[in-house]
Amino acid sequence: SIPRLSVLELQKDLRIAESVIKHLHPGLYRYLSKAQVDSIFKSFSVRIDKPLSYSEAFVVFSELTALLKCGHTFPNFLNQPALIKASVFHQRNKLPFYFKIADHRMIVTASANTVLKAGYEITAIDEKPVNEILRTLMNVMKADGNNDASRITALNTFGLNEIEPF
C-alpha cells in the first residue's frame, strides 16, 4: 500500500541532491575530479528510468553517495520520517542474530534463535554466499576515500541502535 516514487519525483530529488552537493560540499573534490563527479550524477540520472519503491530509491541514493567517497555524505537512516522507516527499515527481512565480520567471514555474536550460537559462522543467507552479500553492500557503504576497512566495520551489527547499516 506504500506508493512508489515516480521518475519525475526521483529525477527532481536527484537534481536537488546534485545541486546541494556540488554547491555546498566542502570536500567533494578531495578524492574525485569535477569530471568524475559530473559523470556519477549523469550515470544516476540515466539509471532512474522507472518508478522505484522507497527501499529501491534509498539503495540508489546510497550507491550514489558511496561513490562520492565521503564518510559524512549518505542518506542517514537514523533521522528519516515514519513513512521511510516503516517502508525501508521496519520490514520482516532482518536477520535474527548479531554478527561481526572478520576476514570476510560473518561470525554470530548473539542470537534470538536457539540454533544459532555465538561463534557460529554464517556462510550464506537465502543461499547467497556471504562474500557476495558483502561485495554488494560495499557499494552502498559510506567511507572516506577507498577505506574499505571502514565500510566492512560499519556492516557489523551489535544491536546498539534501532537501525544498523547492514
Side-chain angles (χ1 to χ4, degrees), residues 15-77:
R15 285 192 305 275
I16 291 168
E18 180 176 13
S19 178
V20 169
I21 289 169
K22 285 183 173 180
H23 288 95
L24 299 176
H25 195 295
L28 182 60
Y29 302 110
R30 181 171 295 138
Y31 300 106
L32 302 169
S33 68
K34 182 180 182 322
Q36 289 171 310
V37 171
D38 290 344
S39 176
I40 289 168
F41 281 102
K42 184 177 180 181
S43 70
F44 277 83
S45 181
V46 171
R47 272 186 65 187
I48 299 173
D49 62 350
K50 65 181 185 295
L52 299 175
S53 69
Y54 282 93
S55 292
E56 292 166 333
F58 200 89
V59 169
V60 166
F61 280 91
S62 294
E63 288 176 24
L64 183 149
T65 57
L67 288 171
L68 299 177
K69 299 182 180 188
C70 175
H72 294 95
T73 306
F74 65 103
N76 189 333
F77 43 84

Side-chain angles (χ1 to χ4, degrees), residues 44-118:
F44 277 83
S45 181
V46 171
R47 272 186 65 187
I48 299 173
D49 62 350
K50 65 181 185 295
L52 299 175
S53 69
Y54 282 93
S55 292
E56 292 166 333
F58 200 89
V59 169
V60 166
F61 280 91
S62 294
E63 288 176 24
L64 183 149
T65 57
L67 288 171
L68 299 177
K69 299 182 180 188
C70 175
H72 294 95
T73 306
F74 65 103
N76 189 333
F77 43 84
L78 295 175
N79 63 359
Q80 295 297 319
L83 173 66
I84 303 301
K85 282 186 177 181
S87 63
V88 177
F89 307 115
H90 295 160
Q91 298 299 309
R92 296 171 96 35
N93 61 353
K94 306 303 179 260
L95 298 175
F97 58 88
Y98 299 114
F99 61 86
K100 176 149 180 63
I101 299 168
D103 198 25
H104 297 281
R105 297 170 55 214
M106 182 181 282
I107 308 299
V108 175
T109 58
S111 175
N113 182 323
T114 57
V115 175
L116 293 173
K117 306 228 183 280

